[in-house]
Amino acid sequence: EEILKIGDIELNPKTYQVICNNMDINLSKIEFEILKLLMRNDNQVVTKSVLFDTVWNTLDSADENILNVHISKIRKKIKKANPNKDYIETIWSVGYKFKN
């Protein structure tokens, strides 16, 4: 897998490293997988069911509250590196979109 780079965010799937605005962002494995999926589908809506299927490999082990908590944590961590930009857009009742 190659490095994903969109705007000032760089995600390396081999090293599980995320850099935003030249700062290291420390994400959990699930947060990393969510961000990777969103970045791979840049400017496209990723539905909640696709996130559940891809990140958790099942619909049973995840629910919307857990997903919302992980998205919130990702946003907070990235916001520390770049407080002037919102990278993840919520598409209400559908899913999320990474925007550059």
Side-chain angles (χ1 to χ4, degrees):
E1 296 181 84
E2 56 187 62
I3 294 172
L4 298 170
K5 184 162 173 48
I6 301 172
D8 62 357
I9 293 188
E10 190 175 294
L11 182 143
N12 187 328
K14 290 179 183 168
T15 63
Y16 274 80
Q17 184 177 31
V18 176
I19 297 171
C20 177
N21 209 17
N22 296 318
M23 287 179 61
D24 263 335
I25 308 295
N26 191 12
L27 299 179
S28 72
K29 183 180 187 307
I30 288 178
E31 292 165 357
F32 184 89
E33 294 300 328
I34 291 169
L35 183 60
K36 179 171 74 172
L37 185 59
L38 292 174
M39 287 180 72
R40 281 209 173 118
N41 295 281
D42 183 29
N43 284 315
Q44 298 175 43
V45 177
V46 178
T47 64
K48 292 176 184 179
S49 62
V50 167
L51 281 159
F52 291 140
D53 281 349
T54 307
V55 175
W56 282 272
N57 298 319
T58 177
L59 293 174
D60 297 334
S61 64
D63 66 39
E64 285 195 35
N65 290 333
I66 291 171
L67 178 58
N68 294 340
V69 168
H70 285 297
I71 293 287
S72 176
K73 287 180 177 181
I74 295 166
R75 284 179 169 146
K76 284 179 186 171
K77 291 175 181 182
I78 292 174
K79 202 76 159 159
K80 286 182 183 176
N82 189 347
N84 301 318
K85 187 145 172 37
D86 292 320
Y87 296 91
I88 300 173
E89 180 180 349
T90 301
I91 310 301
W92 289 107
S93 73
V94 177
Y96 298 93
K97 178 168 72 171
F98 187 89
K99 54 186 185 160
N100 54 16

